[in-house]
Amino acid sequence: MSAGRIRPNSTRTGVATAYEAADGNGACLFGPSDDLMIAAMNTTDYETSRACGAYVLVRAANGKSITVRITNECPLPCAPGQLDLSQQAFAKLADLKVGRIPITWQLLSPSTTETISIRYKTGSNPNWCGIQAIGHRNPVARLEVRAGSGWRQLPRTEYNYFISGDGTGCGGSIRVTDIYGEQLTLTGIALRPNVAQPTGVQFARH
């Protein structure tokens, strides 16, 4: 399975900076976050939102480490490998006054009791829809909709929705694939814009 730039069992090197995360919403459009252990991924590694929802283990040179979830994008001058951590997350590694610290980080597949939800974008209708997955343990590599007897892969946007520009599959079965290649087929998701609908299923832990 094409994992994109963020690959399992690969350690990345970069720097961590900090930003004011407010309620935790960001470019991934997940909405407010209950937990502010979150980060913005540099544009290169954000990769048109492929990084959205990824859990990464961040280690500082002083031996401290934290796990954060990617909910946002850090545009240039954020460099490849750089993570812009919420101030709350950065403070667990170093004093905020330090500003920047060298880090290494790697993808995690965490234990979780959460299951995946599906949300249709505001404005979705039978002729056009945007679909996003929320609460996934592993990054989503692909999202497809039922089209006749087969499946159609939908293009992904920078704001983390997969778009059906002609309405194909809107309100029908959805298939999501994670970067490990596991496929989950989701049925019974109504075409209800801006409502997170739980599916009761989750990707396997790795």
Side-chain angles (χ1 to χ4, degrees), residues 31-55:
S33 179
D34 299 334
D35 171 7
L36 289 177
M37 292 300 110
I38 55 176
M41 181 64 74
N42 68 83
T43 295
T44 307
D45 294 321
Y46 183 79
E47 219 175 351
T48 321
S49 80
R50 282 179 77 108
C52 285
Y55 289 88

Side-chain angles (χ1 to χ4, degrees), residues 89-143:
F90 189 98
K92 289 189 180 295
L93 298 177
D95 193 304
L96 279 172
K97 291 196 290 287
V98 176
R100 303 168 69 86
I101 55 169
I103 55 163
T104 58
W105 56 271
Q106 62 195 105
L107 184 69
L108 274 190
S109 179
S111 60
T112 179
T113 56
E114 192 175 12
T115 61
I116 296 171
S117 295
I118 293 290
R119 180 161 54 203
Y120 277 99
K121 193 165 179 9
T122 304
S124 291
N125 61 67
N127 304 308
W128 178 95
C129 63
I131 307 170
Q132 79 171 168
I134 310 166
H136 39 89
R137 185 197 311 262
N138 306 319
V140 171
R142 198 164 67 234
L143 186 146

Side-chain angles (χ1 to χ4, degrees), residues 8-76:
N9 309 313
S10 160
T11 299
R12 304 291 296 278
T13 302
V15 297
T17 46
Y19 75 105
E20 173 50 65
D23 68 359
N25 197 12
C28 296
L29 294 189
F30 288 134
S33 179
D34 299 334
D35 171 7
L36 289 177
M37 292 300 110
I38 55 176
M41 181 64 74
N42 68 83
T43 295
T44 307
D45 294 321
Y46 183 79
E47 219 175 351
T48 321
S49 80
R50 282 179 77 108
C52 285
Y55 289 88
V56 294
L57 174 65
V58 185
R59 287 193 175 90
N62 61 14
K64 293 181 178 176
S65 66
I66 51 161
T67 298
V68 292
R69 185 169 64 105
I70 304 303
T71 60
N72 209 347
E73 177 182 8
C74 184
L76 291 169

